[in-house]
Amino acid sequence: MSSVVEQPADRPAAPARLRRGPAAVLQGVALALGLVLMIGGFALIAVDYRPYKIPTASMHPTLQAGDTVLARKVGGGTIGRGDVVVFRDQAWGGELMVKRVVAVGGDTVATTSAGSDQRLTVNGQPVDEPYLAAQGRQGESFSVTVPQGRLFLLGDNRVGSLDSRTHLEVDGGTVPAAEVEARVEATLQPFGRMGLLERTTAFDSFPGPKAGSPGPLEPAAYASVAGAALIVVTSVVGGVAGLARRFRRGRST
């Protein structure tokens, strides 16, 4: 015969399984979303962009000596007139340089004088260049037809830039488009100059490749900042709510 063993009446019941309340679930979702935004935005910037230091004032006032810029890795075939690019050419000494593309393969680029003024022309059409440090003399006049697959580059500080004009004896001062490493899209440092580089419209009326549109830098940066803010706010709200619950329990005992 089987026997039944009864539990003592004073034995405590098994504890109920703890369940997370709606507030705790919402906090967890917010933290997870914040992490995805912060890490995803930062990862996109880290993969697509590289920082570069500007060593000279040749791109003043667009970029100043000592600035740290962020440049997006691109192929030379995507570069258009007006882009500010990072490149390296052995004929120019093999150093990394930052200049503005003013002509592409097939263009005839020149300067024309009108009294003391001097204008850049591309295929005979004058270019209005609002980004220049100063109007006026830009050095000796020249005229170059750019071979296909090459670029003609100038600094925005025309009176203080060693650029295509100083290398005219080698391939007309042009640089292979394949030597372009990146397109500059923003200034990262110093803090007071932080911001996106303004895309020029100086060449938009010309047929052919124009300055490229901004990449994902701005939305990626906003996503990363928003994710970090969401994590901080959620953590603070959760901490305050936890303290409030403990305070209420303390007062009820």
Side-chain angles (χ1 to χ4, degrees):
M1 180 182 295
S2 60
S3 60
V4 177
V5 179
E6 295 185 358
Q7 297 247 359
D10 58 349
R11 182 172 178 177
R17 186 175 181 180
L18 295 176
R19 294 183 179 180
R20 299 185 68 189
V25 173
L26 184 60
Q27 182 182 9
V29 170
L31 287 172
L33 178 60
L35 281 172
V36 169
L37 288 172
M38 183 178 69
I39 296 174
F42 181 79
L44 182 59
I45 293 173
V47 169
D48 261 14
Y49 293 85
R50 290 290 182 272
Y52 294 90
K53 194 83 167 180
I54 304 300
T56 71
S58 68
M59 282 297 295
H60 176 81
T62 305
L63 301 171
Q64 297 184 12
D67 284 356
T68 298
V69 300
L70 279 179
R72 188 184 185 195
K73 294 182 292 183
V74 295
T78 66
I79 297 302
R81 306 182 195 95
D83 280 331
V84 177
V85 298
V86 180
F87 66 98
R88 188 194 308 268
D89 187 17
Q90 295 304 319
W92 291 26
E95 299 293 329
L96 276 177
M97 303 188 75
V98 177
K99 305 292 180 188
R100 189 182 297 272
V101 176
V102 298
V104 297
D107 288 342
T108 296
V109 56
T111 54
T112 58
S113 296
S116 60
D117 195 16
Q118 198 174 40
R119 294 285 298 277
L120 181 76
T121 66
V122 175
N123 301 327
Q125 181 177 338
V127 184
D128 292 321
E129 299 182 277
Y131 44 76
L132 292 185
Q135 302 293 332
R137 296 297 301 175
Q138 301 183 24
E140 296 297 323
S141 297
F142 64 88
S143 179
V144 172
T145 298
V146 183
Q148 292 296 333
R150 301 182 74 89
L151 306 169
F152 197 89
L153 305 105
L154 299 176
D156 289 356
N157 181 11
R158 297 287 160 81
V159 297
S161 175
L162 299 178
D163 46 40
S164 289
R165 298 168 300 169
T166 57
H167 297 85
L168 292 175
E169 71 283 356
V170 182
D171 297 311
T174 62
V175 171
E179 297 300 324
V180 171
E181 295 190 5
R183 178 193 293 120
V184 177
E185 290 194 4
T187 302
L188 186 61
Q189 289 180 335
F191 182 78
R193 288 177 47 76
M194 181 185 296
L196 294 176
L197 196 68
E198 184 177 357
R199 177 191 176 277
T200 183
T201 59
F203 298 88
D204 283 1
S205 62
F206 290 75
K210 301 171 178 58
S213 300
L217 177 61
E218 187 174 23
Y222 279 132
S224 188
V225 171
L230 184 58
I231 290 172
V232 171
V233 171
T234 302
S235 300
V236 170
V237 171
V240 171
L243 287 173
R245 286 193 299 268
R246 285 195 286 272
F247 177 72
R248 287 196 298 270
R249 284 199 298 267
R251 292 193 63 181
S252 62
T253 56

